[in-house]
PDB file of all heavy atoms in Angstrom:
ATOM      1  N   ILE J   1       6.170   2.763 -10.617  1.00  0.00           N
ATOM      2  CA  ILE J   1       5.401   1.696 -11.243  1.00  0.00           C
ATOM      3  C   ILE J   1       4.819   0.832 -10.166  1.00  0.00           C
ATOM      4  O   ILE J   1       5.532   0.497  -9.210  1.00  0.00           O
ATOM      5  CB  ILE J   1       6.319   0.834 -12.155  1.00  0.00           C
ATOM      6  CG1 ILE J   1       6.946   1.681 -13.262  1.00  0.00           C
ATOM      7  CG2 ILE J   1       5.561  -0.346 -12.815  1.00  0.00           C
ATOM      8  CD1 ILE J   1       6.017   2.229 -14.290  1.00  0.00           C
ATOM      9  N   ILE J   2       3.557   0.372 -10.337  1.00  0.00           N
ATOM     10  CA  ILE J   2       3.016  -0.688  -9.486  1.00  0.00           C
ATOM     11  C   ILE J   2       3.621  -2.007  -9.942  1.00  0.00           C
ATOM     12  O   ILE J   2       3.462  -2.428 -11.088  1.00  0.00           O
ATOM     13  CB  ILE J   2       1.483  -0.702  -9.456  1.00  0.00           C
ATOM     14  CG1 ILE J   2       0.981   0.590  -8.903  1.00  0.00           C
ATOM     15  CG2 ILE J   2       1.004  -1.874  -8.746  1.00  0.00           C
ATOM     16  CD1 ILE J   2      -0.586   0.786  -8.990  1.00  0.00           C
ATOM     17  N   SER J   3       4.391  -2.627  -9.112  1.00  0.00           N
ATOM     18  CA  SER J   3       5.067  -3.837  -9.510  1.00  0.00           C
ATOM     19  C   SER J   3       4.382  -5.134  -9.187  1.00  0.00           C
ATOM     20  O   SER J   3       4.773  -6.161  -9.661  1.00  0.00           O
ATOM     21  CB  SER J   3       6.489  -3.887  -8.887  1.00  0.00           C
ATOM     22  OG  SER J   3       6.467  -3.645  -7.562  1.00  0.00           O
ATOM     23  N   GLY J   4       3.421  -5.028  -8.271  1.00  0.00           N
ATOM     24  CA  GLY J   4       2.614  -6.317  -7.943  1.00  0.00           C
ATOM     25  C   GLY J   4       1.634  -6.033  -6.821  1.00  0.00           C
ATOM     26  O   GLY J   4       1.549  -5.004  -6.251  1.00  0.00           O
ATOM     27  N   VAL J   5       0.850  -7.052  -6.628  1.00  0.00           N
ATOM     28  CA  VAL J   5      -0.144  -7.084  -5.480  1.00  0.00           C
ATOM     29  C   VAL J   5       0.327  -8.130  -4.560  1.00  0.00           C
ATOM     30  O   VAL J   5       0.581  -9.270  -4.854  1.00  0.00           O
ATOM     31  CB  VAL J   5      -1.498  -7.393  -6.028  1.00  0.00           C
ATOM     32  CG1 VAL J   5      -2.558  -7.418  -4.926  1.00  0.00           C
ATOM     33  CG2 VAL J   5      -1.867  -6.391  -7.148  1.00  0.00           C
ATOM     34  N   ARG J   6       0.468  -7.739  -3.298  1.00  0.00           N
ATOM     35  CA  ARG J   6       0.950  -8.639  -2.196  1.00  0.00           C
ATOM     36  C   ARG J   6      -0.031  -8.840  -1.132  1.00  0.00           C
ATOM     37  O   ARG J   6      -0.866  -7.885  -0.922  1.00  0.00           O
ATOM     38  CB  ARG J   6       2.231  -8.058  -1.629  1.00  0.00           C
ATOM     39  CG  ARG J   6       3.315  -7.729  -2.592  1.00  0.00           C
ATOM     40  CD  ARG J   6       4.026  -8.968  -3.201  1.00  0.00           C
ATOM     41  NE  ARG J   6       5.055  -8.551  -4.097  1.00  0.00           N
ATOM     42  CZ  ARG J   6       5.000  -9.040  -5.368  1.00  0.00           C
ATOM     43  NH1 ARG J   6       4.121  -9.793  -5.844  1.00  0.00           N
ATOM     44  NH2 ARG J   6       6.040  -8.592  -6.171  1.00  0.00           N
ATOM     45  N   ASN J   7      -0.131 -10.065  -0.553  1.00  0.00           N
ATOM     46  CA  ASN J   7      -0.944 -10.311   0.590  1.00  0.00           C
ATOM     47  C   ASN J   7      -0.061 -10.566   1.839  1.00  0.00           C
ATOM     48  O   ASN J   7       0.851 -11.346   1.641  1.00  0.00           O
ATOM     49  CB  ASN J   7      -1.829 -11.527   0.294  1.00  0.00           C
ATOM     50  CG  ASN J   7      -2.865 -11.141  -0.750  1.00  0.00           C
ATOM     51  OD1 ASN J   7      -3.642 -10.223  -0.568  1.00  0.00           O
ATOM     52  ND2 ASN J   7      -2.814 -11.790  -1.922  1.00  0.00           N
ATOM     53  N   HIS J   8      -0.374  -9.900   2.950  1.00  0.00           N
ATOM     54  CA  HIS J   8       0.361 -10.149   4.145  1.00  0.00           C
ATOM     55  C   HIS J   8      -0.585 -10.073   5.353  1.00  0.00           C
ATOM     56  O   HIS J   8      -1.364  -9.161   5.505  1.00  0.00           O
ATOM     57  CB  HIS J   8       1.417  -9.025   4.336  1.00  0.00           C
ATOM     58  CG  HIS J   8       2.205  -9.083   5.556  1.00  0.00           C
ATOM     59  ND1 HIS J   8       3.127 -10.098   5.767  1.00  0.00           N
ATOM     60  CD2 HIS J   8       2.246  -8.332   6.650  1.00  0.00           C
ATOM     61  CE1 HIS J   8       3.645  -9.995   6.932  1.00  0.00           C
ATOM     62  NE2 HIS J   8       3.101  -8.861   7.536  1.00  0.00           N
ATOM     63  N   GLU J   9      -0.621 -11.232   6.037  1.00  0.00           N
ATOM     64  CA  GLU J   9      -1.452 -11.330   7.236  1.00  0.00           C
ATOM     65  C   GLU J   9      -2.963 -11.011   6.939  1.00  0.00           C
ATOM     66  O   GLU J   9      -3.562 -10.244   7.664  1.00  0.00           O
ATOM     67  CB  GLU J   9      -0.920 -10.456   8.361  1.00  0.00           C
ATOM     68  CG  GLU J   9       0.435 -10.949   8.818  1.00  0.00           C
ATOM     69  CD  GLU J   9       0.968 -10.135  10.003  1.00  0.00           C
ATOM     70  OE1 GLU J   9       0.385  -9.092  10.428  1.00  0.00           O
ATOM     71  OE2 GLU J   9       2.127 -10.475  10.463  1.00  0.00           O
ATOM     72  N   GLY J  10      -3.400 -11.379   5.816  1.00  0.00           N
ATOM     73  CA  GLY J  10      -4.885 -11.199   5.435  1.00  0.00           C
ATOM     74  C   GLY J  10      -5.106  -9.936   4.836  1.00  0.00           C
ATOM     75  O   GLY J  10      -6.296  -9.573   4.480  1.00  0.00           O
ATOM     76  N   ASN J  11      -4.118  -9.061   4.616  1.00  0.00           N
ATOM     77  CA  ASN J  11      -4.321  -7.787   3.993  1.00  0.00           C
ATOM     78  C   ASN J  11      -3.678  -7.684   2.606  1.00  0.00           C
ATOM     79  O   ASN J  11      -2.608  -8.321   2.378  1.00  0.00           O
ATOM     80  CB  ASN J  11      -3.797  -6.656   4.845  1.00  0.00           C
ATOM     81  CG  ASN J  11      -4.469  -6.527   6.143  1.00  0.00           C
ATOM     82  OD1 ASN J  11      -5.719  -6.355   6.184  1.00  0.00           O
ATOM     83  ND2 ASN J  11      -3.744  -6.543   7.249  1.00  0.00           N
ATOM     84  N   THR J  12      -4.316  -6.969   1.644  1.00  0.00           N
ATOM     85  CA  THR J  12      -3.787  -6.775   0.346  1.00  0.00           C
ATOM     86  C   THR J  12      -3.066  -5.465   0.247  1.00  0.00           C
ATOM     87  O   THR J  12      -3.537  -4.474   0.759  1.00  0.00           O
ATOM     88  CB  THR J  12      -4.996  -6.866  -0.689  1.00  0.00           C
ATOM     89  OG1 THR J  12      -5.603  -8.122  -0.543  1.00  0.00           O
ATOM     90  CG2 THR J  12      -4.466  -6.686  -2.103  1.00  0.00           C
ATOM     91  N   TYR J  13      -1.931  -5.464  -0.480  1.00  0.00           N
ATOM     92  CA  TYR J  13      -1.131  -4.235  -0.665  1.00  0.00           C
ATOM     93  C   TYR J  13      -0.659  -4.134  -2.062  1.00  0.00           C
ATOM     94  O   TYR J  13      -0.357  -5.178  -2.676  1.00  0.00           O
ATOM     95  CB  TYR J  13       0.097  -4.197   0.322  1.00  0.00           C
ATOM     96  CG  TYR J  13      -0.242  -4.164   1.701  1.00  0.00           C
ATOM     97  CD1 TYR J  13      -0.228  -5.344   2.511  1.00  0.00           C
ATOM     98  CD2 TYR J  13      -0.479  -2.919   2.377  1.00  0.00           C
ATOM     99  CE1 TYR J  13      -0.591  -5.262   3.795  1.00  0.00           C
ATOM    100  CE2 TYR J  13      -0.839  -2.862   3.752  1.00  0.00           C
ATOM    101  CZ  TYR J  13      -0.793  -4.078   4.469  1.00  0.00           C
ATOM    102  OH  TYR J  13      -1.102  -4.030   5.828  1.00  0.00           O
ATOM    103  N   LEU J  14      -0.613  -2.913  -2.548  1.00  0.00           N
ATOM    104  CA  LEU J  14       0.029  -2.691  -3.880  1.00  0.00           C
ATOM    105  C   LEU J  14       1.499  -2.411  -3.641  1.00  0.00           C
ATOM    106  O   LEU J  14       1.898  -1.517  -2.781  1.00  0.00           O
ATOM    107  CB  LEU J  14      -0.561  -1.474  -4.584  1.00  0.00           C
ATOM    108  CG  LEU J  14      -2.091  -1.520  -4.666  1.00  0.00           C
ATOM    109  CD1 LEU J  14      -2.511  -0.163  -5.438  1.00  0.00           C
ATOM    110  CD2 LEU J  14      -2.530  -2.670  -5.558  1.00  0.00           C
ATOM    111  N   GLN J  15       2.422  -3.208  -4.285  1.00  0.00           N
ATOM    112  CA  GLN J  15       3.825  -2.934  -4.095  1.00  0.00           C
ATOM    113  C   GLN J  15       4.274  -2.159  -5.318  1.00  0.00           C
ATOM    114  O   GLN J  15       3.906  -2.315  -6.395  1.00  0.00           O
ATOM    115  CB  GLN J  15       4.626  -4.302  -4.145  1.00  0.00           C
ATOM    116  CG  GLN J  15       6.134  -4.022  -4.012  1.00  0.00           C
ATOM    117  CD  GLN J  15       6.860  -5.419  -4.118  1.00  0.00           C
ATOM    118  OE1 GLN J  15       6.358  -6.397  -3.612  1.00  0.00           O
ATOM    119  NE2 GLN J  15       8.044  -5.337  -4.681  1.00  0.00           N
ATOM    120  N   SER J  16       5.085  -1.059  -4.969  1.00  0.00           N
ATOM    121  CA  SER J  16       5.552  -0.194  -6.044  1.00  0.00           C
ATOM    122  C   SER J  16       6.916   0.290  -5.829  1.00  0.00           C
ATOM    123  O   SER J  16       7.473   0.088  -4.770  1.00  0.00           O
ATOM    124  CB  SER J  16       4.570   1.048  -6.228  1.00  0.00           C
ATOM    125  OG  SER J  16       4.649   1.917  -5.118  1.00  0.00           O
ATOM    126  N   ASP J  17       7.456   0.984  -6.821  1.00  0.00           N
ATOM    127  CA  ASP J  17       8.748   1.675  -6.629  1.00  0.00           C
ATOM    128  C   ASP J  17       8.592   3.218  -6.493  1.00  0.00           C
ATOM    129  O   ASP J  17       9.564   3.880  -6.706  1.00  0.00           O
ATOM    130  CB  ASP J  17       9.760   1.280  -7.759  1.00  0.00           C
ATOM    131  CG  ASP J  17       9.373   1.816  -9.088  1.00  0.00           C
ATOM    132  OD1 ASP J  17       8.195   2.314  -9.302  1.00  0.00           O
ATOM    133  OD2 ASP J  17      10.211   1.666 -10.038  1.00  0.00           O
ATOM    134  N   VAL J  18       7.339   3.627  -6.205  1.00  0.00           N
ATOM    135  CA  VAL J  18       7.099   5.050  -6.106  1.00  0.00           C
ATOM    136  C   VAL J  18       7.854   5.568  -4.818  1.00  0.00           C
ATOM    137  O   VAL J  18       7.712   4.936  -3.783  1.00  0.00           O
ATOM    138  CB  VAL J  18       5.591   5.328  -5.849  1.00  0.00           C
ATOM    139  CG1 VAL J  18       5.319   6.778  -5.670  1.00  0.00           C
ATOM    140  CG2 VAL J  18       4.804   4.840  -7.100  1.00  0.00           C
ATOM    141  N   SER J  19       8.619   6.552  -4.986  1.00  0.00           N
ATOM    142  CA  SER J  19       9.434   7.136  -3.882  1.00  0.00           C
ATOM    143  C   SER J  19       8.535   7.692  -2.763  1.00  0.00           C
ATOM    144  O   SER J  19       7.665   8.505  -3.030  1.00  0.00           O
ATOM    145  CB  SER J  19      10.350   8.177  -4.334  1.00  0.00           C
ATOM    146  OG  SER J  19      11.146   8.703  -3.285  1.00  0.00           O
ATOM    147  N   ILE J  20       8.740   7.192  -1.515  1.00  0.00           N
ATOM    148  CA  ILE J  20       7.843   7.556  -0.385  1.00  0.00           C
ATOM    149  C   ILE J  20       8.899   8.113   0.673  1.00  0.00           C
ATOM    150  O   ILE J  20       9.883   7.555   0.984  1.00  0.00           O
ATOM    151  CB  ILE J  20       7.074   6.392   0.210  1.00  0.00           C
ATOM    152  CG1 ILE J  20       6.186   5.757  -0.813  1.00  0.00           C
ATOM    153  CG2 ILE J  20       6.311   6.827   1.404  1.00  0.00           C
ATOM    154  CD1 ILE J  20       5.206   6.661  -1.429  1.00  0.00           C
ATOM    155  N   ASN J  21       8.556   9.219   1.202  1.00  0.00           N
ATOM    156  CA  ASN J  21       9.398   9.901   2.268  1.00  0.00           C
ATOM    157  C   ASN J  21       8.729   9.801   3.580  1.00  0.00           C
ATOM    158  O   ASN J  21       7.461   9.781   3.638  1.00  0.00           O
ATOM    159  CB  ASN J  21       9.691  11.384   1.824  1.00  0.00           C
ATOM    160  CG  ASN J  21      10.476  11.486   0.595  1.00  0.00           C
ATOM    161  OD1 ASN J  21      11.587  10.937   0.463  1.00  0.00           O
ATOM    162  ND2 ASN J  21       9.804  12.023  -0.425  1.00  0.00           N
ATOM    163  N   PRO J  22       9.415   9.838   4.670  1.00  0.00           N
ATOM    164  CA  PRO J  22       8.765   9.910   5.967  1.00  0.00           C
ATOM    165  C   PRO J  22       7.787  11.106   6.067  1.00  0.00           C
ATOM    166  O   PRO J  22       8.140  12.161   5.622  1.00  0.00           O
ATOM    167  CB  PRO J  22       9.920  10.206   6.935  1.00  0.00           C
ATOM    168  CG  PRO J  22      11.171   9.567   6.248  1.00  0.00           C
ATOM    169  CD  PRO J  22      10.901   9.841   4.815  1.00  0.00           C
ATOM    170  N   GLY J  23       6.594  10.801   6.548  1.00  0.00           N
ATOM    171  CA  GLY J  23       5.616  11.824   6.648  1.00  0.00           C
ATOM    172  C   GLY J  23       4.542  11.720   5.443  1.00  0.00           C
ATOM    173  O   GLY J  23       3.478  12.384   5.503  1.00  0.00           O
ATOM    174  N   SER J  24       4.926  10.958   4.367  1.00  0.00           N
ATOM    175  CA  SER J  24       3.940  10.926   3.302  1.00  0.00           C
ATOM    176  C   SER J  24       2.953   9.737   3.402  1.00  0.00           C
ATOM    177  O   SER J  24       2.025   9.602   2.523  1.00  0.00           O
ATOM    178  CB  SER J  24       4.792  10.728   1.921  1.00  0.00           C
ATOM    179  OG  SER J  24       5.496  11.816   1.675  1.00  0.00           O
ATOM    180  N   SER J  25       3.033   8.893   4.372  1.00  0.00           N
ATOM    181  CA  SER J  25       1.994   7.868   4.581  1.00  0.00           C
ATOM    182  C   SER J  25       0.654   8.500   4.784  1.00  0.00           C
ATOM    183  O   SER J  25       0.485   9.591   5.402  1.00  0.00           O
ATOM    184  CB  SER J  25       2.316   7.062   5.821  1.00  0.00           C
ATOM    185  OG  SER J  25       3.534   6.310   5.655  1.00  0.00           O
ATOM    186  N   GLY J  26      -0.324   7.842   4.140  1.00  0.00           N
ATOM    187  CA  GLY J  26      -1.684   8.422   4.191  1.00  0.00           C
ATOM    188  C   GLY J  26      -2.062   9.215   2.979  1.00  0.00           C
ATOM    189  O   GLY J  26      -3.183   9.583   2.759  1.00  0.00           O
ATOM    190  N   GLY J  27      -1.003   9.564   2.187  1.00  0.00           N
ATOM    191  CA  GLY J  27      -1.300  10.279   0.937  1.00  0.00           C
ATOM    192  C   GLY J  27      -1.902   9.405  -0.124  1.00  0.00           C
ATOM    193  O   GLY J  27      -1.842   8.151  -0.014  1.00  0.00           O
ATOM    194  N   ALA J  28      -2.467  10.083  -1.139  1.00  0.00           N
ATOM    195  CA  ALA J  28      -3.119   9.322  -2.206  1.00  0.00           C
ATOM    196  C   ALA J  28      -2.136   8.725  -3.227  1.00  0.00           C
ATOM    197  O   ALA J  28      -1.115   9.312  -3.538  1.00  0.00           O
ATOM    198  CB  ALA J  28      -4.027  10.262  -2.987  1.00  0.00           C
ATOM    199  N   LEU J  29      -2.443   7.618  -3.764  1.00  0.00           N
ATOM    200  CA  LEU J  29      -1.674   6.989  -4.882  1.00  0.00           C
ATOM    201  C   LEU J  29      -2.720   7.054  -6.051  1.00  0.00           C
ATOM    202  O   LEU J  29      -3.840   6.589  -5.874  1.00  0.00           O
ATOM    203  CB  LEU J  29      -1.312   5.595  -4.615  1.00  0.00           C
ATOM    204  CG  LEU J  29      -0.414   4.819  -5.585  1.00  0.00           C
ATOM    205  CD1 LEU J  29       0.962   5.470  -5.547  1.00  0.00           C
ATOM    206  CD2 LEU J  29      -0.300   3.392  -5.335  1.00  0.00           C
ATOM    207  N   VAL J  30      -2.320   7.696  -7.167  1.00  0.00           N
ATOM    208  CA  VAL J  30      -3.268   7.905  -8.306  1.00  0.00           C
ATOM    209  C   VAL J  30      -2.619   7.380  -9.539  1.00  0.00           C
ATOM    210  O   VAL J  30      -1.401   7.200  -9.600  1.00  0.00           O
ATOM    211  CB  VAL J  30      -3.664   9.378  -8.484  1.00  0.00           C
ATOM    212  CG1 VAL J  30      -4.415   9.915  -7.270  1.00  0.00           C
ATOM    213  CG2 VAL J  30      -2.487  10.213  -8.808  1.00  0.00           C
ATOM    214  N   ASN J  31      -3.429   7.035 -10.634  1.00  0.00           N
ATOM    215  CA  ASN J  31      -2.822   6.596 -11.761  1.00  0.00           C
ATOM    216  C   ASN J  31      -2.615   7.761 -12.775  1.00  0.00           C
ATOM    217  O   ASN J  31      -2.843   8.978 -12.381  1.00  0.00           O
ATOM    218  CB  ASN J  31      -3.703   5.462 -12.487  1.00  0.00           C
ATOM    219  CG  ASN J  31      -4.989   5.969 -13.015  1.00  0.00           C
ATOM    220  OD1 ASN J  31      -5.179   7.126 -13.360  1.00  0.00           O
ATOM    221  ND2 ASN J  31      -5.848   5.014 -13.154  1.00  0.00           N
ATOM    222  N   GLU J  32      -2.177   7.560 -13.982  1.00  0.00           N
ATOM    223  CA  GLU J  32      -1.759   8.611 -14.879  1.00  0.00           C
ATOM    224  C   GLU J  32      -2.924   9.625 -15.212  1.00  0.00           C
ATOM    225  O   GLU J  32      -2.774  10.762 -15.471  1.00  0.00           O
ATOM    226  CB  GLU J  32      -1.255   8.052 -16.184  1.00  0.00           C
ATOM    227  CG  GLU J  32       0.061   7.462 -16.066  1.00  0.00           C
ATOM    228  CD  GLU J  32       0.582   6.894 -17.427  1.00  0.00           C
ATOM    229  OE1 GLU J  32      -0.096   5.934 -17.926  1.00  0.00           O
ATOM    230  OE2 GLU J  32       1.517   7.459 -17.983  1.00  0.00           O
ATOM    231  N   LYS J  33      -4.125   9.061 -15.209  1.00  0.00           N
ATOM    232  CA  LYS J  33      -5.279   9.852 -15.565  1.00  0.00           C
ATOM    233  C   LYS J  33      -5.980  10.571 -14.366  1.00  0.00           C
ATOM    234  O   LYS J  33      -6.906  11.290 -14.463  1.00  0.00           O
ATOM    235  CB  LYS J  33      -6.279   9.049 -16.315  1.00  0.00           C
ATOM    236  CG  LYS J  33      -5.697   8.580 -17.680  1.00  0.00           C
ATOM    237  CD  LYS J  33      -6.663   7.792 -18.467  1.00  0.00           C
ATOM    238  CE  LYS J  33      -5.990   7.335 -19.755  1.00  0.00           C
ATOM    239  NZ  LYS J  33      -6.797   6.506 -20.532  1.00  0.00           N
ATOM    240  N   GLY J  34      -5.462  10.206 -13.142  1.00  0.00           N
ATOM    241  CA  GLY J  34      -5.934  10.942 -11.963  1.00  0.00           C
ATOM    242  C   GLY J  34      -6.776  10.104 -10.990  1.00  0.00           C
ATOM    243  O   GLY J  34      -6.849  10.486  -9.794  1.00  0.00           O
ATOM    244  N   PRO J  35      -7.425   8.983 -11.452  1.00  0.00           N
ATOM    245  CA  PRO J  35      -8.239   8.218 -10.500  1.00  0.00           C
ATOM    246  C   PRO J  35      -7.383   7.668  -9.304  1.00  0.00           C
ATOM    247  O   PRO J  35      -6.208   7.339  -9.432  1.00  0.00           O
ATOM    248  CB  PRO J  35      -8.786   7.084 -11.308  1.00  0.00           C
ATOM    249  CG  PRO J  35      -8.890   7.637 -12.673  1.00  0.00           C
ATOM    250  CD  PRO J  35      -7.631   8.532 -12.817  1.00  0.00           C
ATOM    251  N   PHE J  36      -8.003   7.730  -8.174  1.00  0.00           N
ATOM    252  CA  PHE J  36      -7.507   7.218  -6.902  1.00  0.00           C
ATOM    253  C   PHE J  36      -7.378   5.724  -6.940  1.00  0.00           C
ATOM    254  O   PHE J  36      -8.350   4.964  -7.203  1.00  0.00           O
ATOM    255  CB  PHE J  36      -8.527   7.697  -5.810  1.00  0.00           C
ATOM    256  CG  PHE J  36      -8.216   7.299  -4.394  1.00  0.00           C
ATOM    257  CD1 PHE J  36      -7.010   7.381  -3.857  1.00  0.00           C
ATOM    258  CD2 PHE J  36      -9.295   6.844  -3.618  1.00  0.00           C
ATOM    259  CE1 PHE J  36      -6.670   7.052  -2.499  1.00  0.00           C
ATOM    260  CE2 PHE J  36      -9.128   6.607  -2.299  1.00  0.00           C
ATOM    261  CZ  PHE J  36      -7.815   6.644  -1.723  1.00  0.00           C
ATOM    262  N   VAL J  37      -6.121   5.212  -6.709  1.00  0.00           N
ATOM    263  CA  VAL J  37      -5.965   3.733  -6.733  1.00  0.00           C
ATOM    264  C   VAL J  37      -5.470   3.146  -5.364  1.00  0.00           C
ATOM    265  O   VAL J  37      -5.559   1.942  -5.132  1.00  0.00           O
ATOM    266  CB  VAL J  37      -4.947   3.254  -7.875  1.00  0.00           C
ATOM    267  CG1 VAL J  37      -5.647   3.541  -9.251  1.00  0.00           C
ATOM    268  CG2 VAL J  37      -3.655   3.851  -7.753  1.00  0.00           C
TER     269      VAL J  37
END
């Protein structure tokens, strides 16, 4: 779930509880219908 939108040092980030493993950075985050978010 996307739990919020955070700002850090002038950058915007989506905070979520989606499980991320080492090496998965740079991968796509998509919604239920497939669009790239």
Side-chain angles (χ1 to χ4, degrees):
I1 302 291
I2 294 175
S3 53
V5 180
R6 307 288 180 233
N7 291 298
H8 179 68
E9 297 181 355
N11 293 310
T12 302
Y13 296 95
L14 305 179
Q15 178 182 327
S16 71
D17 67 350
V18 178
S19 180
I20 303 299
N21 298 297
S24 291
S25 293
L29 187 71
V30 299
N31 71 23
E32 289 183 292
K33 296 181 181 177
F36 178 43
V37 296

